[in-house]
Amino acid sequence: MHGDPTHWWLGDALGVGSAGLTLDDVDLAELAARHGTPLYVYGAATVRRRFAELRAALAATGLRSRIHYAMKANRHPGLLALVRGEGDLAIDACSPREVDAALACGFTPAEVSVTASMLSRRDLTAFAAQGVHLNLDSRSALRRWSETPGRLPRVGLRINPGVAVGWGDDPKLRYGDSKFGFDGDRVGEAVELATGLGLEVDTLHVHLGWGLQASAAPQIATLCARLAGWARQIPTVRVLNVGGGLCWKQRAEDRPLPLPTWAALLAEHLGPVCRERDLTIACEPGTFVMAAAGVLLAEVNTVERRASGTWIGIDAGHNMNVYAAHYGIPLAIIAVARPQDPPTAPVHVAGNVNEANDVFARDLRLPELAEGDLLALWPAGAYGAAMASDHCMRGLPSELLIERSPVPGDSRAPLSYGTG
């Protein structure tokens, strides 16, 4: 990452060119002029780089592994086609319609893993017809799945990790002791129930939380040790799914869990049982792959000075991106035309939805702004457009996948676009 804390976002996917801010070396102002705002832009090169980094980290463990892209993070058709084109990636889905989207993109049922909670009979019937593998987390779901015509005979069990870690202190971002998973001290009972129902438990699934930081390493070690212990008690288990949680910086002071640390924890605590039993480690990256690969472009439509401060209004609201309003997660807000200009007095940045919580930032120092200027919100490639709504009938955002055609020796080669 860039060494300047003021411009901490500069370096990996974002850069500065002659026209201002760039994503994967593509001018964002030009894309906004061509396609309008609000606009999500995703860089294919960054997505591919993230997958390559993840593969390398898993390879360093020396263990058999499989990557399931968490498509709930971003289901843009062009991105799903990119994931499919990588050739060695599978899908993590959580609804019948997500499975349909994956199958329509060319994934086979065997390449789709479903982890979902509070499932209806309609859901289970659909999953059985689609022929996909489920990780279930309740006795009720196990019973009803066993009764579902056409269902697969093998299932996974999602287990409550028993530790609460994630980005910040909001329980929305921590999955331990929440609505998810069998209690760890009752895994044996869940296996006995599944076996009695004619099901075979072939997968154990855990997911700690969103936005894992380096400080979470001790809790991850504890969980991996528990996961290894559970696996040793269940002879039918073939896959240990460690879920997602790997992330990108949301602010300068964040210290995301480094990939080498994560991989070393897997190797240390899961390696022995995986080698003894020839088990596969599965993971479900979403934010790690997509976050830094995407920006949300919005136009400044209002500059208003009030007793409460200077308000910068933009043509995108929390219906376009829920990070700030729903989770309290900040996004970097960058002036596209002058990303490195010195900041002036603090401002509040607000969206165009008629709700008091539709505020992206308060007391944020930005360069001097005028109506008509462009702002970029980053990292916005994960859980942005995928969670967008038509609240206040503001409509849904446009999305654009960008990639330069590989023309040797030409750094300004033509762009290929994928829209949706």
Side-chain angles (χ1 to χ4, degrees):
M1 272 296 179
H2 196 270
D4 183 353
T6 306
H7 304 120
W8 61 269
W9 41 264
L10 185 60
D12 179 73
L14 297 182
V16 178
S18 59
L21 193 67
T22 64
L23 174 69
D24 284 0
D25 297 323
V26 178
D27 290 333
L28 291 173
E30 176 187 342
L31 296 180
R34 186 180 306 185
H35 299 279
T37 58
L39 175 68
Y40 276 99
V41 183
Y42 312 123
T46 295
V47 174
R48 290 197 172 94
R49 187 164 64 253
R50 291 287 94 83
F51 279 126
E53 292 166 354
L54 193 55
R55 286 190 194 95
L58 288 168
T61 68
L63 306 173
R64 189 193 306 274
S65 62
R66 194 175 197 189
I67 300 171
H68 292 260
Y69 168 62
M71 65 176 290
K72 70 175 183 175
N74 193 315
R75 58 178 179 268
H76 182 273
L79 285 167
L80 291 182
L82 184 159
V83 174
R84 181 60 183 161
E86 290 289 277
D88 61 342
L89 303 175
I91 287 290
D92 164 49
C94 56
S95 74
R97 289 181 61 205
E98 282 196 345
V99 174
D100 282 342
L103 298 179
C105 198
F107 290 93
T108 67
E111 294 171 315
V112 179
S113 170
V114 174
T115 305
S117 189
M118 309 306 174
L119 295 169
S120 68
R121 289 190 181 274
R122 293 187 306 277
D123 292 330
L124 296 174
T125 298
F127 290 138
Q130 291 162 332
V132 291
H133 181 276
L134 303 190
N135 297 312
L136 301 175
D137 72 347
S138 72
R139 298 170 66 88
S140 171
L142 285 174
R143 285 194 297 267
R144 288 181 287 123
W145 181 241
S146 72
E147 299 164 358
T148 303
R151 51 88 176 153
L152 294 181
R154 297 178 180 85
V155 296
L157 301 181
R158 180 172 183 171
I159 306 170
N160 171 12
V163 292
V165 294
W167 190 92
D169 298 320
D170 195 323
K172 295 174 185 174
L173 306 173
R174 300 177 171 208
Y175 304 147
D177 300 324
S178 67
K179 75 172 192 175
F180 301 115
F182 290 99
D183 292 331
D185 59 358
R186 305 191 71 175
V187 172
E189 294 177 21
V191 174
E192 289 179 8
L193 173 62
T195 303
L197 293 169
L199 300 170
E200 180 180 298
V201 175
D202 67 350
T203 301
L204 296 180
H205 181 287
V206 292
H207 190 15
L208 275 169
W210 183 92
L212 298 178
Q213 300 295 297
S215 58
Q219 291 94 328
I220 296 170
T222 297
L223 176 61
C224 287
R226 291 175 182 169
L227 184 57
W230 295 322
R232 287 192 170 92
Q233 298 170 25
I234 309 169
T236 56
V237 164
R238 294 289 174 265
V239 177
L240 302 181
N241 190 325
V242 296
L246 296 171
C247 66
W248 204 251
K249 278 191 174 187
Q250 298 295 140
R251 54 190 179 180
E253 62 265 34
D254 281 354
R255 297 293 180 267
L257 180 72
L259 270 184
T261 301
W262 175 75
L265 291 170
L266 299 184
E268 178 182 358
H269 298 284
L270 298 181
V273 69
C274 286
R275 284 186 287 269
E276 291 166 14
R277 298 265 304 278
D278 194 25
L279 305 183
T280 296
I281 291 179
C283 64
E284 299 170 346
T287 298
F288 175 79
V289 172
M290 282 307 311
V295 299
L296 172 59
L297 298 178
E299 181 179 314
V300 174
N301 54 38
T302 303
V303 178
E304 186 79 7
R305 290 171 177 82
R306 297 173 176 164
S308 56
T310 298
W311 288 87
I312 304 297
I314 60 176
D315 64 350
H318 69 54
N319 66 313
M320 299 290 173
N321 191 291
V322 302
Y323 269 48
H326 185 60
Y327 293 110
I329 301 171
L331 295 170
I333 301 177
I334 307 159
V336 171
R338 303 178 308 281
Q340 293 180 289
D341 277 14
T344 58
V347 298
H348 313 312
V349 180
N352 60 356
V353 169
N354 196 28
E355 302 282 353
N357 69 341
D358 188 26
V359 178
F360 288 102
R362 294 180 184 271
D363 296 319
L364 179 67
R365 292 186 178 274
L366 291 172
E368 190 73 30
L369 293 171
E371 294 175 6
D373 285 347
L374 286 175
L375 294 179
L377 282 66
W378 181 90
Y383 301 101
M387 295 183 72
S389 75
D390 194 20
H391 185 42
C392 290
M393 297 189 74
R394 278 296 184 181
L396 296 173
S398 297
E399 300 175 79
L400 190 66
L401 176 68
I402 57 172
E403 184 164 32
R404 291 197 175 279
S405 301
V407 179
D410 182 4
S411 62
R412 300 296 299 175
L415 283 169
S416 58
Y417 296 97
T419 58

PDB file of all heavy atoms in Angstrom, residues 131-155:
ATOM      1  N   GLY A 131     -29.434 -30.364  -7.841  1.00  0.00           N
ATOM      2  CA  GLY A 131     -28.386 -31.353  -7.631  1.00  0.00           C
ATOM      3  C   GLY A 131     -27.144 -30.824  -6.960  1.00  0.00           C
ATOM      4  O   GLY A 131     -26.037 -31.317  -7.218  1.00  0.00           O
ATOM      5  N   VAL A 132     -27.312 -29.827  -6.055  1.00  0.00           N
ATOM      6  CA  VAL A 132     -26.139 -29.220  -5.420  1.00  0.00           C
ATOM      7  C   VAL A 132     -25.981 -29.697  -3.981  1.00  0.00           C
ATOM      8  O   VAL A 132     -26.925 -30.173  -3.352  1.00  0.00           O
ATOM      9  CB  VAL A 132     -26.249 -27.677  -5.447  1.00  0.00           C
ATOM     10  CG1 VAL A 132     -26.114 -27.169  -6.873  1.00  0.00           C
ATOM     11  CG2 VAL A 132     -27.565 -27.197  -4.835  1.00  0.00           C
ATOM     12  N   HIS A 133     -24.762 -29.544  -3.477  1.00  0.00           N
ATOM     13  CA  HIS A 133     -24.400 -29.965  -2.125  1.00  0.00           C
ATOM     14  C   HIS A 133     -24.758 -28.866  -1.138  1.00  0.00           C
ATOM     15  O   HIS A 133     -24.505 -27.678  -1.387  1.00  0.00           O
ATOM     16  CB  HIS A 133     -22.899 -30.262  -2.069  1.00  0.00           C
ATOM     17  CG  HIS A 133     -22.417 -30.718  -0.726  1.00  0.00           C
ATOM     18  ND1 HIS A 133     -22.085 -29.841   0.283  1.00  0.00           N
ATOM     19  CD2 HIS A 133     -22.207 -31.962  -0.223  1.00  0.00           C
ATOM     20  CE1 HIS A 133     -21.678 -30.514   1.349  1.00  0.00           C
ATOM     21  NE2 HIS A 133     -21.741 -31.807   1.056  1.00  0.00           N
ATOM     22  N   LEU A 134     -25.319 -29.249   0.014  1.00  0.00           N
ATOM     23  CA  LEU A 134     -25.712 -28.287   1.038  1.00  0.00           C
ATOM     24  C   LEU A 134     -24.877 -28.438   2.300  1.00  0.00           C
ATOM     25  O   LEU A 134     -24.562 -29.550   2.722  1.00  0.00           O
ATOM     26  CB  LEU A 134     -27.182 -28.469   1.430  1.00  0.00           C
ATOM     27  CG  LEU A 134     -28.259 -28.386   0.362  1.00  0.00           C
ATOM     28  CD1 LEU A 134     -29.637 -28.357   1.025  1.00  0.00           C
ATOM     29  CD2 LEU A 134     -28.079 -27.177  -0.521  1.00  0.00           C
ATOM     30  N   ASN A 135     -24.565 -27.296   2.917  1.00  0.00           N
ATOM     31  CA  ASN A 135     -24.051 -27.256   4.286  1.00  0.00           C
ATOM     32  C   ASN A 135     -25.189 -26.738   5.147  1.00  0.00           C
ATOM     33  O   ASN A 135     -25.606 -25.581   5.018  1.00  0.00           O
ATOM     34  CB  ASN A 135     -22.836 -26.323   4.384  1.00  0.00           C
ATOM     35  CG  ASN A 135     -21.683 -26.809   3.543  1.00  0.00           C
ATOM     36  OD1 ASN A 135     -21.328 -27.983   3.591  1.00  0.00           O
ATOM     37  ND2 ASN A 135     -21.084 -25.916   2.773  1.00  0.00           N
ATOM     38  N   LEU A 136     -25.716 -27.584   6.022  1.00  0.00           N
ATOM     39  CA  LEU A 136     -26.899 -27.259   6.817  1.00  0.00           C
ATOM     40  C   LEU A 136     -26.510 -26.964   8.260  1.00  0.00           C
ATOM     41  O   LEU A 136     -25.494 -27.469   8.754  1.00  0.00           O
ATOM     42  CB  LEU A 136     -27.897 -28.412   6.761  1.00  0.00           C
ATOM     43  CG  LEU A 136     -28.383 -28.779   5.355  1.00  0.00           C
ATOM     44  CD1 LEU A 136     -29.270 -30.010   5.385  1.00  0.00           C
ATOM     45  CD2 LEU A 136     -29.118 -27.604   4.713  1.00  0.00           C
ATOM     46  N   ASP A 137     -27.356 -26.172   8.937  1.00  0.00           N
ATOM     47  CA  ASP A 137     -26.962 -25.747  10.286  1.00  0.00           C
ATOM     48  C   ASP A 137     -28.066 -25.884  11.321  1.00  0.00           C
ATOM     49  O   ASP A 137     -28.009 -25.239  12.374  1.00  0.00           O
ATOM     50  CB  ASP A 137     -26.445 -24.303  10.257  1.00  0.00           C
ATOM     51  CG  ASP A 137     -27.539 -23.268  10.030  1.00  0.00           C
ATOM     52  OD1 ASP A 137     -28.667 -23.658   9.646  1.00  0.00           O
ATOM     53  OD2 ASP A 137     -27.272 -22.070  10.254  1.00  0.00           O
ATOM     54  N   SER A 138     -29.069 -26.731  11.062  1.00  0.00           N
ATOM     55  CA  SER A 138     -30.113 -26.950  12.064  1.00  0.00           C
ATOM     56  C   SER A 138     -30.649 -28.371  11.972  1.00  0.00           C
ATOM     57  O   SER A 138     -30.606 -28.998  10.906  1.00  0.00           O
ATOM     58  CB  SER A 138     -31.271 -25.953  11.878  1.00  0.00           C
ATOM     59  OG  SER A 138     -32.020 -26.265  10.720  1.00  0.00           O
ATOM     60  N   ARG A 139     -31.135 -28.864  13.080  1.00  0.00           N
ATOM     61  CA  ARG A 139     -31.746 -30.187  13.098  1.00  0.00           C
ATOM     62  C   ARG A 139     -32.972 -30.215  12.189  1.00  0.00           C
ATOM     63  O   ARG A 139     -33.233 -31.204  11.500  1.00  0.00           O
ATOM     64  CB  ARG A 139     -32.136 -30.548  14.537  1.00  0.00           C
ATOM     65  CG  ARG A 139     -30.966 -30.634  15.500  1.00  0.00           C
ATOM     66  CD  ARG A 139     -31.435 -30.744  16.955  1.00  0.00           C
ATOM     67  NE  ARG A 139     -32.138 -31.998  17.194  1.00  0.00           N
ATOM     68  CZ  ARG A 139     -31.566 -33.138  17.556  1.00  0.00           C
ATOM     69  NH1 ARG A 139     -30.238 -33.190  17.703  1.00  0.00           N
ATOM     70  NH2 ARG A 139     -32.273 -34.220  17.765  1.00  0.00           N
ATOM     71  N   SER A 140     -33.706 -29.113  12.184  1.00  0.00           N
ATOM     72  CA  SER A 140     -34.884 -29.026  11.332  1.00  0.00           C
ATOM     73  C   SER A 140     -34.516 -29.198   9.860  1.00  0.00           C
ATOM     74  O   SER A 140     -35.165 -29.943   9.117  1.00  0.00           O
ATOM     75  CB  SER A 140     -35.582 -27.677  11.535  1.00  0.00           C
ATOM     76  OG  SER A 140     -36.610 -27.482  10.589  1.00  0.00           O
ATOM     77  N   ALA A 141     -33.464 -28.496   9.428  1.00  0.00           N
ATOM     78  CA  ALA A 141     -33.062 -28.588   8.025  1.00  0.00           C
ATOM     79  C   ALA A 141     -32.606 -30.004   7.674  1.00  0.00           C
ATOM     80  O   ALA A 141     -32.890 -30.503   6.579  1.00  0.00           O
ATOM     81  CB  ALA A 141     -31.954 -27.581   7.735  1.00  0.00           C
ATOM     82  N   LEU A 142     -31.879 -30.658   8.587  1.00  0.00           N
ATOM     83  CA  LEU A 142     -31.456 -32.034   8.330  1.00  0.00           C
ATOM     84  C   LEU A 142     -32.657 -32.959   8.154  1.00  0.00           C
ATOM     85  O   LEU A 142     -32.707 -33.782   7.224  1.00  0.00           O
ATOM     86  CB  LEU A 142     -30.585 -32.541   9.481  1.00  0.00           C
ATOM     87  CG  LEU A 142     -29.152 -32.008   9.555  1.00  0.00           C
ATOM     88  CD1 LEU A 142     -28.476 -32.483  10.837  1.00  0.00           C
ATOM     89  CD2 LEU A 142     -28.343 -32.440   8.334  1.00  0.00           C
ATOM     90  N   ARG A 143     -33.644 -32.824   9.042  1.00  0.00           N
ATOM     91  CA  ARG A 143     -34.827 -33.680   8.928  1.00  0.00           C
ATOM     92  C   ARG A 143     -35.565 -33.442   7.609  1.00  0.00           C
ATOM     93  O   ARG A 143     -35.922 -34.389   6.908  1.00  0.00           O
ATOM     94  CB  ARG A 143     -35.766 -33.425  10.119  1.00  0.00           C
ATOM     95  CG  ARG A 143     -35.303 -34.030  11.433  1.00  0.00           C
ATOM     96  CD  ARG A 143     -36.422 -34.029  12.457  1.00  0.00           C
ATOM     97  NE  ARG A 143     -36.838 -32.664  12.781  1.00  0.00           N
ATOM     98  CZ  ARG A 143     -36.345 -31.946  13.793  1.00  0.00           C
ATOM     99  NH1 ARG A 143     -35.401 -32.477  14.574  1.00  0.00           N
ATOM    100  NH2 ARG A 143     -36.775 -30.736  14.040  1.00  0.00           N
ATOM    101  N   ARG A 144     -35.781 -32.175   7.279  1.00  0.00           N
ATOM    102  CA  ARG A 144     -36.554 -31.879   6.077  1.00  0.00           C
ATOM    103  C   ARG A 144     -35.782 -32.209   4.798  1.00  0.00           C
ATOM    104  O   ARG A 144     -36.362 -32.614   3.802  1.00  0.00           O
ATOM    105  CB  ARG A 144     -37.007 -30.418   6.097  1.00  0.00           C
ATOM    106  CG  ARG A 144     -38.114 -30.190   7.140  1.00  0.00           C
ATOM    107  CD  ARG A 144     -38.598 -28.753   7.179  1.00  0.00           C
ATOM    108  NE  ARG A 144     -37.628 -27.866   7.783  1.00  0.00           N
ATOM    109  CZ  ARG A 144     -37.108 -26.796   7.183  1.00  0.00           C
ATOM    110  NH1 ARG A 144     -37.455 -26.505   5.936  1.00  0.00           N
ATOM    111  NH2 ARG A 144     -36.235 -26.033   7.815  1.00  0.00           N
ATOM    112  N   TRP A 145     -34.452 -32.057   4.840  1.00  0.00           N
ATOM    113  CA  TRP A 145     -33.639 -32.428   3.673  1.00  0.00           C
ATOM    114  C   TRP A 145     -33.709 -33.938   3.445  1.00  0.00           C
ATOM    115  O   TRP A 145     -33.792 -34.397   2.310  1.00  0.00           O
ATOM    116  CB  TRP A 145     -32.200 -31.979   3.873  1.00  0.00           C
ATOM    117  CG  TRP A 145     -31.268 -32.275   2.731  1.00  0.00           C
ATOM    118  CD1 TRP A 145     -30.161 -33.062   2.767  1.00  0.00           C
ATOM    119  CD2 TRP A 145     -31.336 -31.764   1.387  1.00  0.00           C
ATOM    120  NE1 TRP A 145     -29.524 -33.084   1.546  1.00  0.00           N
ATOM    121  CE2 TRP A 145     -30.227 -32.291   0.672  1.00  0.00           C
ATOM    122  CE3 TRP A 145     -32.219 -30.919   0.724  1.00  0.00           C
ATOM    123  CZ2 TRP A 145     -29.985 -32.011  -0.676  1.00  0.00           C
ATOM    124  CZ3 TRP A 145     -31.974 -30.627  -0.621  1.00  0.00           C
ATOM    125  CH2 TRP A 145     -30.879 -31.167  -1.308  1.00  0.00           C
ATOM    126  N   SER A 146     -33.673 -34.691   4.521  1.00  0.00           N
ATOM    127  CA  SER A 146     -33.737 -36.152   4.371  1.00  0.00           C
ATOM    128  C   SER A 146     -35.054 -36.590   3.746  1.00  0.00           C
ATOM    129  O   SER A 146     -35.126 -37.663   3.127  1.00  0.00           O
ATOM    130  CB  SER A 146     -33.560 -36.832   5.744  1.00  0.00           C
ATOM    131  OG  SER A 146     -34.703 -36.662   6.565  1.00  0.00           O
ATOM    132  N   GLU A 147     -36.104 -35.790   3.892  1.00  0.00           N
ATOM    133  CA  GLU A 147     -37.421 -36.120   3.349  1.00  0.00           C
ATOM    134  C   GLU A 147     -37.645 -35.559   1.938  1.00  0.00           C
ATOM    135  O   GLU A 147     -38.686 -35.815   1.328  1.00  0.00           O
ATOM    136  CB  GLU A 147     -38.508 -35.549   4.279  1.00  0.00           C
ATOM    137  CG  GLU A 147     -38.470 -36.109   5.696  1.00  0.00           C
ATOM    138  CD  GLU A 147     -39.285 -35.267   6.665  1.00  0.00           C
ATOM    139  OE1 GLU A 147     -39.841 -34.227   6.221  1.00  0.00           O
ATOM    140  OE2 GLU A 147     -39.359 -35.640   7.854  1.00  0.00           O
ATOM    141  N   THR A 148     -36.685 -34.800   1.425  1.00  0.00           N
ATOM    142  CA  THR A 148     -36.859 -34.119   0.144  1.00  0.00           C
ATOM    143  C   THR A 148     -36.552 -35.059  -1.016  1.00  0.00           C
ATOM    144  O   THR A 148     -35.434 -35.597  -1.107  1.00  0.00           O
ATOM    145  CB  THR A 148     -35.928 -32.892   0.055  1.00  0.00           C
ATOM    146  OG1 THR A 148     -36.198 -32.018   1.154  1.00  0.00           O
ATOM    147  CG2 THR A 148     -36.147 -32.132  -1.248  1.00  0.00           C
ATOM    148  N   PRO A 149     -37.505 -35.285  -1.913  1.00  0.00           N
ATOM    149  CA  PRO A 149     -37.256 -36.190  -3.046  1.00  0.00           C
ATOM    150  C   PRO A 149     -36.104 -35.699  -3.923  1.00  0.00           C
ATOM    151  O   PRO A 149     -35.992 -34.502  -4.215  1.00  0.00           O
ATOM    152  CB  PRO A 149     -38.583 -36.149  -3.819  1.00  0.00           C
ATOM    153  CG  PRO A 149     -39.601 -35.737  -2.808  1.00  0.00           C
ATOM    154  CD  PRO A 149     -38.893 -34.790  -1.889  1.00  0.00           C
ATOM    155  N   GLY A 150     -35.238 -36.627  -4.305  1.00  0.00           N
ATOM    156  CA  GLY A 150     -34.148 -36.308  -5.215  1.00  0.00           C
ATOM    157  C   GLY A 150     -32.932 -35.680  -4.589  1.00  0.00           C
ATOM    158  O   GLY A 150     -31.959 -35.378  -5.293  1.00  0.00           O
ATOM    159  N   ARG A 151     -32.924 -35.504  -3.256  1.00  0.00           N
ATOM    160  CA  ARG A 151     -31.787 -34.833  -2.620  1.00  0.00           C
ATOM    161  C   ARG A 151     -30.548 -35.719  -2.660  1.00  0.00           C
ATOM    162  O   ARG A 151     -30.613 -36.952  -2.740  1.00  0.00           O
ATOM    163  CB  ARG A 151     -32.134 -34.463  -1.182  1.00  0.00           C
ATOM    164  CG  ARG A 151     -32.703 -35.589  -0.316  1.00  0.00           C
ATOM    165  CD  ARG A 151     -31.630 -36.389   0.380  1.00  0.00           C
ATOM    166  NE  ARG A 151     -32.201 -37.397   1.264  1.00  0.00           N
ATOM    167  CZ  ARG A 151     -31.564 -38.502   1.570  1.00  0.00           C
ATOM    168  NH1 ARG A 151     -30.373 -38.765   1.063  1.00  0.00           N
ATOM    169  NH2 ARG A 151     -32.117 -39.389   2.386  1.00  0.00           N
ATOM    170  N   LEU A 152     -29.374 -35.073  -2.593  1.00  0.00           N
ATOM    171  CA  LEU A 152     -28.117 -35.813  -2.537  1.00  0.00           C
ATOM    172  C   LEU A 152     -27.975 -36.482  -1.165  1.00  0.00           C
ATOM    173  O   LEU A 152     -28.470 -35.977  -0.159  1.00  0.00           O
ATOM    174  CB  LEU A 152     -26.936 -34.874  -2.778  1.00  0.00           C
ATOM    175  CG  LEU A 152     -26.828 -34.239  -4.176  1.00  0.00           C
ATOM    176  CD1 LEU A 152     -25.587 -33.352  -4.254  1.00  0.00           C
ATOM    177  CD2 LEU A 152     -26.792 -35.294  -5.258  1.00  0.00           C
ATOM    178  N   PRO A 153     -27.257 -37.596  -1.094  1.00  0.00           N
ATOM    179  CA  PRO A 153     -27.138 -38.324   0.177  1.00  0.00           C
ATOM    180  C   PRO A 153     -26.116 -37.729   1.130  1.00  0.00           C
ATOM    181  O   PRO A 153     -26.112 -38.061   2.317  1.00  0.00           O
ATOM    182  CB  PRO A 153     -26.714 -39.725  -0.260  1.00  0.00           C
ATOM    183  CG  PRO A 153     -25.968 -39.498  -1.546  1.00  0.00           C
ATOM    184  CD  PRO A 153     -26.656 -38.351  -2.226  1.00  0.00           C
ATOM    185  N   ARG A 154     -25.234 -36.848   0.629  1.00  0.00           N
ATOM    186  CA  ARG A 154     -24.172 -36.302   1.474  1.00  0.00           C
ATOM    187  C   ARG A 154     -24.456 -34.838   1.800  1.00  0.00           C
ATOM    188  O   ARG A 154     -24.930 -34.090   0.957  1.00  0.00           O
ATOM    189  CB  ARG A 154     -22.805 -36.431   0.793  1.00  0.00           C
ATOM    190  CG  ARG A 154     -22.392 -37.877   0.545  1.00  0.00           C
ATOM    191  CD  ARG A 154     -21.049 -37.943  -0.174  1.00  0.00           C
ATOM    192  NE  ARG A 154     -20.655 -39.323  -0.411  1.00  0.00           N
ATOM    193  CZ  ARG A 154     -21.038 -40.051  -1.443  1.00  0.00           C
ATOM    194  NH1 ARG A 154     -21.849 -39.504  -2.362  1.00  0.00           N
ATOM    195  NH2 ARG A 154     -20.650 -41.298  -1.591  1.00  0.00           N
ATOM    196  N   VAL A 155     -24.113 -34.441   3.029  1.00  0.00           N
ATOM    197  CA  VAL A 155     -24.337 -33.065   3.474  1.00  0.00           C
ATOM    198  C   VAL A 155     -23.129 -32.582   4.268  1.00  0.00           C
ATOM    199  O   VAL A 155     -22.315 -33.380   4.743  1.00  0.00           O
ATOM    200  CB  VAL A 155     -25.600 -32.932   4.352  1.00  0.00           C
ATOM    201  CG1 VAL A 155     -26.852 -33.259   3.582  1.00  0.00           C
ATOM    202  CG2 VAL A 155     -25.470 -33.781   5.616  1.00  0.00           C
TER     203      VAL A 155
END
